[in-house]
Amino acid sequence: MTRTVFTGGTVFDGTGSPPAQADVVIEDGRIVDVGTGLDGDRSVDCAGTALLPGLFDCHVHVTISELGLLQRVQTPFSYQFYEAARNLWTTLKLGITTVRDAAGADLGIKQAVADGLIPGPRLEIAIGLISPTGGHGDGWLPSGHCVPLSLPHPGRPDATADGPDEMRRVARTLLRAGADVLKVCTTGGVLSPRDDPRHSQFTLEELDVLVTEAAMQGRAVMAHAQGAEGIKNAVRAGIRSIEHGIYLDDEAIELMLARGTWLVPTLVAPVNVLRAASAGAGLPDAVVAKAEEVAQVHAESVRRAVAAGVRIAMGTDSGVGPHGTNLEELELMRSCGMSPADVLVASTSSAARLLGKEGDLGRLAPGHRADLVVVSGDAYDFPALAANVREVWQDGVRAV
């Protein structure tokens, strides 16, 4: 097999150690050596650049590109799959080589990427958003029409559940459909006009059933959780990650620390809702008002979680905002008190750990898959990072 050596670059290995001059050698899709003075059959000159592990985004929606109600009802059903192909390619070009789709992508999209039919980050998929009747994932409108963000279809079964027995059925149905992770709403949300982000959804009994069903199949649960009580219910049930975490209180933070629960902040999400509204997306007034209310509260909650030592992994909720702007999240994370190194750790090795892939991805280390991003200039210059991505390698093959 051909040995490729990346020479002359500054390596950020994903552990948080200071970037240092080093060579990286890859062979047969894996990293085989990191050090100085290495050689190979061919060389990639990385002088003046930084080398990063392939980045992660732990919260995306690749089948969603528009939030406006009118746009959704006028777009043909199958158009979403072509949008997904475009959105995946756009994301890969940023150096994001692994994503967790938090509802929308089905097994066919994941397999199309894995088989090389379309280029994109490797996918972990939730398929559907588990919601109670009237909850964050219920697309019912006062007119009586129901317009969810993601319409059910054979590969994406309906995920509405009320009571422990229905929760068990929905969990098993999504697992059968190929879910790598189960996503549940334990609170209301910003984009659902008729609920409140601070209010809880699902009882602890219902959540216990969900976590048990997932665990029996070796899967974890992620929770859309914004209000403090719903966050605490999720943590007490053993849910692995809190998505958003807008109204964290001290007790919630203490519980997360005690249980080792992850936070995926998605700080850019409410910012993007407000941008969409300003651009004429036609969002309900209640949605815009909620986004305005939570933006500052959200950032303060994340600051407190960071200061307390809660485990953080990078995620953006892209789809709520434009795909291709994912790396804006990094500067927002830094503004919440994370050091530049910690931000990159949250986007590489910590994200890999959240997804259970820490032995395979997230670091530039021998034995890991050869996902590398070559960045011109300073890897800590987050506002310029997207524009500075020069090359993206995935499993030892140059993708960008």
Side-chain angles (χ1 to χ4, degrees), residues 361-380:
L361 292 165
R363 291 179 56 199
L364 297 182
H368 280 57
R369 293 169 79 154
D371 283 16
L372 301 93
V373 187
V374 182
V375 177
S376 299
D378 182 3
Y380 291 161

Side-chain angles (χ1 to χ4, degrees), residues 34-103:
V34 179
T36 56
L38 305 179
D39 58 16
D41 303 307
R42 60 172 178 161
S43 177
V44 177
D45 182 6
C46 297
T49 72
L51 272 68
L52 310 177
L55 303 173
F56 283 69
D57 189 332
C58 296
H59 193 126
V60 301
H61 299 278
V62 301
T63 61
I64 299 170
S65 303
E66 297 283 346
L67 293 180
L69 181 63
L70 187 61
Q71 181 74 21
R72 270 188 276 155
V73 299
Q74 290 183 324
T75 301
F77 173 77
S78 60
Y79 193 79
Q80 65 185 294
F81 301 105
Y82 300 94
E83 286 186 287
R86 178 195 64 195
N87 294 337
L88 286 161
W89 173 236
T90 298
T91 304
L92 182 63
K93 288 191 290 184
L94 296 172
I96 296 171
T97 58
T98 305
V99 298
R100 183 173 61 168
D101 189 272

Side-chain angles (χ1 to χ4, degrees), residues 7-283:
T7 64
T10 301
V11 171
F12 180 88
D13 67 3
T15 67
S17 298
Q21 289 290 124
D23 303 329
V24 179
V25 180
I26 65 173
E27 183 179 12
D28 195 22
R30 295 274 173 177
I31 298 168
V32 295
D33 205 355
V34 179
T36 56
L38 305 179
D39 58 16
D41 303 307
R42 60 172 178 161
S43 177
V44 177
D45 182 6
C46 297
T49 72
L51 272 68
L52 310 177
L55 303 173
F56 283 69
D57 189 332
C58 296
H59 193 126
V60 301
H61 299 278
V62 301
T63 61
I64 299 170
S65 303
E66 297 283 346
L67 293 180
L69 181 63
L70 187 61
Q71 181 74 21
R72 270 188 276 155
V73 299
Q74 290 183 324
T75 301
F77 173 77
S78 60
Y79 193 79
Q80 65 185 294
F81 301 105
Y82 300 94
E83 286 186 287
R86 178 195 64 195
N87 294 337
L88 286 161
W89 173 236
T90 298
T91 304
L92 182 63
K93 288 191 290 184
L94 296 172
I96 296 171
T97 58
T98 305
V99 298
R100 183 173 61 168
D101 189 272
D106 66 358
L107 188 58
I109 294 173
K110 176 181 177 177
Q111 187 170 331
V113 173
D115 291 348
L117 292 182
I118 55 175
R122 64 182 61 79
L123 279 156
E124 295 284 298
I125 56 174
I127 297 182
L129 175 60
I130 303 173
S131 169
T133 298
H136 178 59
D138 186 342
W140 185 88
L141 300 171
S143 64
H145 293 288
C146 189
V147 188
L149 275 173
S150 298
L151 194 68
H153 66 80
R156 187 172 61 214
D158 179 71
T160 304
D162 295 302
D165 289 341
E166 285 193 11
M167 180 68 86
R168 182 175 290 107
R169 177 190 57 78
V170 166
R172 291 176 178 177
T173 301
L174 291 169
L175 291 165
R176 180 182 66 182
D180 301 300
V181 61
L182 296 178
K183 184 185 178 187
V184 65
C185 298
T186 65
T187 71
V190 171
L191 287 178
S192 41
R194 298 188 63 79
D195 63 15
D196 190 314
R198 293 164 295 191
H199 292 169
S200 298
Q201 297 176 1
F202 288 123
T203 65
L204 192 55
E205 182 185 9
E206 290 168 312
L207 297 176
D208 285 340
V209 168
L210 177 64
V211 172
T212 296
E213 290 295 327
M216 287 194 300
Q217 304 304 320
R219 304 290 196 271
V221 180
M222 59 191 294
H224 163 99
Q226 299 184 353
E229 293 307 313
I231 291 169
K232 287 181 276 194
N233 283 342
V235 176
R236 290 181 178 120
I239 286 173
R240 184 163 174 80
S241 66
I242 299 300
E243 312 295 308
H244 316 304
I246 291 173
Y247 292 100
L248 288 164
D249 63 14
D250 290 342
E251 184 183 15
I253 290 172
E254 289 171 5
L255 278 171
M256 292 178 73
L257 290 169
R259 303 290 182 92
T261 311
W262 292 82
L263 175 63
V264 181
T266 69
L267 289 157
V268 75
V271 174
N272 276 325
V273 173
L274 294 174
R275 286 175 180 168
S278 297
L283 297 171

